[in-house]
Amino acid sequence: MKKFLAGVVAAWVVLVIGIYAFVSFGCLPANADSKPPIIERWMAHTSLRASIRREAPQGPVPVALTDANLEAGVKLYAANCAVCHGASDGEPSNIAQGLYQHAPQLAQDGVADDPEGVIYWKVKHGIRLTGMPAFSPTLTEEQVWQVVLFLKHMDSLPAGVEKTWKSVPSAKTAD
Ligand code: HEC
């Protein structure tokens, strides 16, 4: 038994030294201009899905579907999100293209099909291992829900709000 335990401890020591050497000799890539390997994508996506399943709110949206809330959502999006997720023309900025996980252009590749609670969780908590920031330190609960409302109804906005959305300047970076 003692020998077995000594073997287990030795295996752990070798593993820890191996991981330390792997990281400190620069074998773990630190660059953002390549495609994430399958194992990293699997870990990021699986843990994201599991966290959302456990934590995303399920109840009704606590903010009313009014023009004023949608309008506020568009403005918050223009100020906080368009730099990565683009305006209504769906043209990506240099920042969006350079992120390690490319930021989806939400006018083209939107999230209207996702439940509101899922969108809320991503905006509030951010997405680890990607450039998606958490907005819990900066936006109020009401503001997060207003952005969620806008993203959920992006394809069916009332005329006045649609006009504001179309007037958000393109995020495309000048050549
Ligand atoms: C600095 C860049 C950046 C900013 C600013 C940013 N995001 Fe993101 N966001 C990302 C990236 C990168 C992803 C992709 C993450 C991934 O691949 O899972 C993402 C993913 C998302 C998703 C999930 C998309 C999907 O297809 O499931 C939503 C929703 C989202 N962001 C909303 C927002 C909102 C709303 C804001 C502003 C309040 C915002 N983001 C600001 C970079 C950003």
Side-chain angles (χ1 to χ4, degrees), residues 80-81 84-85 99 101 103-104 111 122-123 130-133 135 147:
N80 295 281
C81 325
C84 288
H85 292 296
L99 283 165
Q101 299 278 350
V111 288
K122 290 177 179 173
V123 178
T130 79
M132 173 62 195
F135 286 90
V147 179

